[in-house]
Amino acid sequence: MRNWSTDTTELKKNPEKWAVWELEQLVNFGLQGKRLDAKLLERHLSKLQIDPHRKDYLNFLLHEAR
């Protein structure tokens, strides 16, 4: 994943912040061949700063799949 506006080397030092940032990037800018980890998404969904409708849809998918 390429990102020119974030110092990812510093961000990777904090696993919690890295996971949230990476999920936000994948949801907002495309998966680019990757898959979202459902457990990781469920754990951090409330912390993601994404479009509320997209967040609702992801929440629906997570709970509907069970």
Side-chain angles (χ1 to χ4, degrees):
M1 176 180 325
R2 296 181 191 180
N3 194 300
W4 55 270
S5 64
T6 304
D7 184 5
T8 57
T9 56
E10 286 296 316
L11 196 56
K12 285 183 182 180
K13 292 178 182 177
N14 185 332
E16 176 89 11
K17 288 183 180 181
W18 171 258
V20 170
W21 178 83
E22 186 175 32
L23 284 170
E24 286 175 354
Q25 296 299 304
L26 290 172
V27 169
N28 286 328
F29 302 112
L31 299 175
Q32 299 173 2
K34 293 184 179 182
R35 296 186 74 168
L36 292 175
D37 181 0
K39 290 180 184 179
L40 190 62
L41 181 62
E42 189 170 14
R43 187 178 319 135
H44 297 294
L45 187 61
S46 63
K47 300 172 192 164
L48 297 181
Q49 295 180 3
I50 58 175
D51 178 61
H53 296 293
R54 193 172 288 190
K55 189 182 282 191
D56 290 341
Y57 180 66
L58 289 171
N59 192 33
F60 169 77
L61 290 177
L62 284 172
H63 294 100
E64 190 65 27
R66 292 182 182 178

